[in-house]
Amino acid sequence: MIRFIGTPDFGVALDTMLRAVAAFDLSVVFAFPYDARPILLHDGYTHGVSPQALQAYLGGAYLLDPFYVACNNGQPAGLWRMRELAPDRFFRSNFSSSSEVHPCVSMESGSLIEEVGFVVPLEDGMQATYSLMRCRDGAPFSDQELERLRLYEPIVREAIRSNWRQRGMAIASATGAGSDAMEGAFESLCADRLTRQQRTIVRLILRGHSNVSIGKTMNIAEGTVRIHRKNIYRRLGISGQGALFRIFIDHLNRRQLY
């Protein structure tokens, strides 16, 4: 694997090394700049996912990805299960089950069983995630498999950091990666109909937080959150979270046209 660092075959060599430790179906390496689209450093899943789903993810749905949120909140380096990072109701959210925006649930073989990821610090405060995914016909990663993978974490971390220095920054430059104020998608979402506080609540709803979790995050009572949620739905003329998610995806699609 080390001899492929800085070459186009690095990601494949990385996958080959870790598949000898624990089996997985799909993989991907993203660098997550703040307020800019993810930079795709290794593509180990487009052979089996919908191109539209990947486009939607890169177009803004990544804003709801727990790994993206964790990386932009300074998540410590290491190997993490997605469920360790996700909000309390994330796996009942539209993002985690939508074939439109989550690349791994639009495969012919069905939905994702589990995703785990190595969080890797890069230069200038940027972080990367190397995700390993198992699909419906498999089983979640066992604790023993994760312990074996964690033995490789220092190797994975330094290899990805070295590859970023040799090749990743060139990829970012070649693809025109840079600030595009995608975090501003939340700020501009229904800005003509919702207050700033309501838009903050919408952001937390879309990311999979329950009323209790929103209340703790914003330091307000759960009952107050329920009232805000009811008022948000009334102002938008919708009846539930599914319609709110649809508004968000349509908003992202319109942003991509300009």
Side-chain angles (χ1 to χ4, degrees):
M1 182 275 296
I2 291 173
R3 71 189 178 93
F4 287 104
I5 290 175
T7 76
D9 296 321
F10 168 69
V12 174
L14 193 62
D15 284 351
T16 300
M17 179 183 74
L18 288 190
R19 279 198 170 99
V21 181
F24 53 91
D25 298 307
L26 305 168
S27 69
V28 69
V29 181
F30 281 122
F32 289 127
Y34 178 74
D35 210 13
R37 286 177 172 84
I39 302 166
L40 182 62
L41 300 178
H42 165 54
D43 177 2
Y45 63 20
T46 54
H47 61 277
V49 305
S50 161
Q52 291 78 14
L54 181 57
Q55 181 180 5
Y57 179 86
L58 292 172
Y62 67 86
L63 293 164
L64 310 181
D65 184 347
F67 279 110
Y68 166 81
V69 176
C71 284
N72 277 282
N73 287 333
Q75 183 69 24
L79 177 64
W80 305 89
R81 294 183 191 269
M82 179 183 276
R83 65 173 178 259
E84 295 176 310
L85 307 180
D88 54 353
R89 297 196 65 181
F90 174 78
F91 292 102
R92 283 182 274 177
S93 70
N94 294 85
F95 172 83
S96 70
S97 61
S98 173
S99 61
E100 286 186 86
V101 298
H102 196 306
C104 305
V105 300
S106 59
M107 300 172 54
E108 292 182 5
S109 59
S111 63
L112 191 68
I113 282 291
E114 187 174 32
E115 180 175 347
V116 301
F118 293 90
V119 173
V120 178
L122 304 175
E123 283 75 12
D124 300 322
M126 191 185 301
Q127 302 239 61
T129 297
Y130 172 35
S131 292
L132 311 178
M133 294 156 271
R134 282 184 173 172
C135 303
R136 186 174 59 187
D137 293 337
F141 291 89
S142 68
D143 291 340
Q144 293 77 14
E145 287 173 321
L146 256 65
E147 284 305 309
R148 292 200 298 270
L149 287 169
R150 284 193 177 99
L151 293 175
Y152 282 73
E153 189 274 333
I155 300 171
V156 170
R157 180 188 349 124
E158 294 307 319
I160 290 176
R161 285 168 58 85
S162 180
N163 189 70
W164 170 256
R165 287 190 292 267
Q166 295 187 39
R167 180 172 168 80
M169 289 185 282
I171 293 174
S173 177
T175 56
S179 176
D180 59 8
M182 283 304 297
E183 283 284 348
F186 284 121
E187 287 298 315
S188 59
L189 178 63
C190 301
D192 58 333
R193 287 174 285 175
L194 302 178
T195 67
R196 180 177 294 274
Q197 185 181 46
Q198 288 173 331
R199 295 199 300 276
T200 298
I201 291 172
V202 166
R203 179 190 308 217
L204 293 170
I205 291 171
L206 290 170
R207 281 179 165 162
H209 290 263
S210 67
N211 288 346
V212 172
S213 179
I214 292 171
K216 290 179 179 178
T217 300
M218 299 183 65
N219 197 28
I220 58 178
E222 179 188 357
T224 303
V225 177
R226 285 200 297 269
I227 293 171
H228 278 303
R229 188 190 285 253
K230 182 177 179 180
N231 288 335
I232 288 167
Y233 291 168
R234 178 179 54 80
R235 286 192 178 196
L236 298 180
I238 59 177
S239 59
Q241 184 174 335
L244 181 63
F245 181 77
R246 182 73 262 165
I247 288 173
F248 177 66
I249 295 302
D250 290 343
H251 177 63
L252 292 178
N253 289 337
R254 285 195 299 271
R255 283 174 61 91
Q256 292 182 70
L257 294 177
Y258 300 101

